[in-house]
Amino acid sequence: MFLMIQYRPSSAFDSPFMTTNSGTPIYNNDSSLTVGSRGPVLLEDYHLVEKLANFDRERIPERVVHARGASAKGFFEVTHDISHLTCADFLRSPGVQTPVIVRFSTVIHERGSPETIRDPRGFATKFYTREGNFDLVGNNFPVFFVRDAMKFPDAIHAFKPNPKSHIQENWRILDFFSHHPESLNTFTFFYDDLGIPQDYRHMEGSSVSAYTLINKAGKVHYVMFHWKPTCGVKCLTDEEAIKIGGANHSHATQDLYDSIAAGNYPEWKLFIQTIDPDHEDRFDFDPLDLTKTWPEDIVPLQPVGRLVLNKNIDNFFAENEQLAFDPGNMVPGIYYSDDKMLQTRTFAYADTHRHRLGPNYKQLPVNAPKCAHHNNHYDGFMNFMHRDDEVDYFPSRYDPCRNAERYPIPSAILTGRRERRIIEKENNFKEPGERYRSWDPARQERFIRKWVDALSDPRVTHEIRSIWISYCSQADRSLGQKLASRLNVRPTM
């Protein structure tokens, strides 16, 4: 007689070390497998793909992140000639207009959460160009908390509500990010006034990750994209946010909709910063590290064009909930860089959409290109494209479809060992210190109060509190001393 034991998976039987889903030990759960210290990321990094694929499927049908959002349609118009930098058709000359749809969002909280919450904001633009869709997917902060996508699911988990109580708690956030000093730079935005924009019209946007521009001759430049609202940047204090949020949890969506309906069309100017890859060693930071900004006094802003939103969406579900952005949607003249986060986002976004909307999500009108397109991607769940072709392979002498004309992509020679490691130029504390010192005393005080409130969480240990004071002290000695004094902790510097 056999003793039947019911097997029930439980976290109580966790391994003392990290493993894959199949139980294989993981010796490095912090860094993607790359060619050299910077990249690009290798698709053979099974653990990274498995980790992201599991993360992408955690919620249905709501987005895992950026669930709360509002969209509007309009156009982008080129105002300045940058054809010497890129051969992108939609940027070919001043006066060229391209239809767009833009989605603004909060990042962490669910679809029904208030828009007054302290949270990064998404700023995603889909350009319907003559050469296919180009999706510029960014945030209102120009930097991100971690530099390697291996840590992205963990970072979001730390910000999400406690899985046991479903309450967002500071101790979880500060515990995780205490292991990542590079996050301090983004916290100077998160705990700053910019952490709560007044509404979407008065909010900046940034690509966050560096892309590359390629001109007709094949010359490559790293590029960062920046949206600047013509009506200026405005934010809410915590007190204002509580008051507005209590009265209308959709205030930013309503402001966007009402403004467009009244003919008060929101407008942003697009600027770029560019760095010649041949000159990147001149900087004391890695230009492809998305925890860093590019100093405007060294890398000046260059005007490109203007974005005007002049039409509200016709249906919220069809053009907001089913709207899907993908950093992998590129056009000739613009390409990826070796930014580890961008490299992995090209997989993760599309994978999320296939899970949330189905494998044919790009057939949905809001996601479909407006130019002629053709491929042999057939059938699958929710395929509604009418096709009467007899040839579904390539090449064929019965089908005149051919390869497109070749266009330039970055051709740098890649060398390096397979390895998991951080980039060489971390320089984690210079920028947050400079940013803090650039504020007036009142703004510094509001920032300090946010840190004191967060670090006063009763479950934040003395060790974690000391680590954050150390980080802040390395950014600015007076900031660390003020935090230590108010928290009654002896500073380590």
Side-chain angles (χ1 to χ4, degrees), residues 25 148 201 270 348 372 432 435 440:
D148 195 309
R201 291 185 302 121
L270 177 63
R435 179 169 166 76
D440 61 66

Side-chain angles (χ1 to χ4, degrees), residues 120-368:
R121 265 50 173 191
F123 192 130
T125 308
K126 186 183 292 291
F127 299 80
Y128 298 102
T129 87
R130 301 192 307 183
E131 296 182 311
N133 292 351
F134 170 54
D135 290 357
L136 185 58
V137 189
N139 289 336
N140 65 323
F141 299 165
V143 288
F144 194 65
F145 294 93
V146 290
R147 57 170 67 98
D148 195 309
M150 183 66 81
K151 306 309 300 178
F152 181 77
D154 302 285
I156 298 302
H157 283 166
F159 268 111
K160 287 281 190 181
N162 186 318
K164 182 176 182 179
S165 64
H166 201 66
I167 299 171
Q168 187 182 39
E169 297 170 311
N170 283 322
W171 69 268
R172 289 166 39 83
I173 298 171
L174 298 179
D175 171 36
F176 171 73
F177 288 106
S178 69
H179 298 275
H180 300 280
E182 70 269 24
S183 67
L184 181 61
N185 202 20
T186 309
F187 275 108
T188 64
F189 291 85
F190 184 73
Y191 284 144
D192 180 33
D193 297 344
L194 296 176
I196 312 179
Q198 176 177 292
D199 49 58
Y200 296 132
R201 291 185 302 121
H202 294 87
M203 187 181 82
E204 293 179 309
S206 172
S207 62
V208 187
S209 290
Y211 291 71
T212 57
L213 296 179
I214 311 99
N215 64 17
K216 291 181 180 179
K219 176 60 182 174
V220 174
H221 284 86
Y222 297 144
V223 62
M224 294 278 283
F225 297 91
H226 302 280
W227 298 108
K228 304 288 185 181
T230 58
C231 58
V233 176
K234 295 182 181 180
C235 306
L236 297 175
T237 64
D238 287 328
E239 294 73 24
E240 291 170 334
I242 292 171
K243 182 177 180 180
I244 293 173
N248 181 4
H249 82 297
S250 299
H251 82 285
T253 296
Q254 183 172 351
D255 174 82
L256 180 67
Y257 189 94
D258 291 349
S259 296
I260 294 174
N264 181 24
Y265 302 140
E267 182 174 335
W268 287 260
K269 302 294 185 184
L270 177 63
F271 295 86
I272 60 173
Q273 293 174 285
T274 60
I275 292 177
D276 188 328
D278 294 336
H279 301 158
E280 62 175 290
D281 290 337
R282 299 177 182 179
F283 300 92
D284 61 2
F285 61 93
D286 190 322
L288 304 186
D289 176 1
L290 81 168
T291 70
K292 303 290 185 295
T293 61
W294 294 358
E296 294 178 14
D297 58 337
I298 302 175
V299 188
L301 295 172
Q302 306 173 53
V304 177
R306 68 187 186 115
L307 168 69
V308 179
L309 300 181
N310 58 5
K311 189 177 188 305
N312 281 311
I313 57 176
D314 300 312
N315 179 275
F316 183 81
F317 179 78
E319 296 182 299
N320 185 79
E321 293 305 290
Q322 292 193 130
L323 176 58
F325 294 91
D326 180 1
N329 288 344
M330 290 289 179
V331 293
I334 305 176
Y335 203 72
Y336 322 107
S337 73
D338 288 344
D339 178 323
K340 293 185 182 184
M341 190 70 75
L342 178 60
Q343 287 265 321
T344 315
R345 289 169 69 206
T346 61
F347 159 78
Y349 279 62
D351 189 53
T352 301
H353 303 325
R354 293 185 189 103
H355 165 64
R356 194 174 66 87
L357 299 172
N360 292 299
Y361 71 95
K362 287 187 178 179
Q363 291 183 17
L364 294 168
V366 71
N367 298 323

Side-chain angles (χ1 to χ4, degrees), residues 452-463:
V452 171
D453 289 344
L455 291 168
S456 296
D457 185 309
R459 292 192 65 178
V460 173
T461 65
H462 176 77
E463 178 188 14

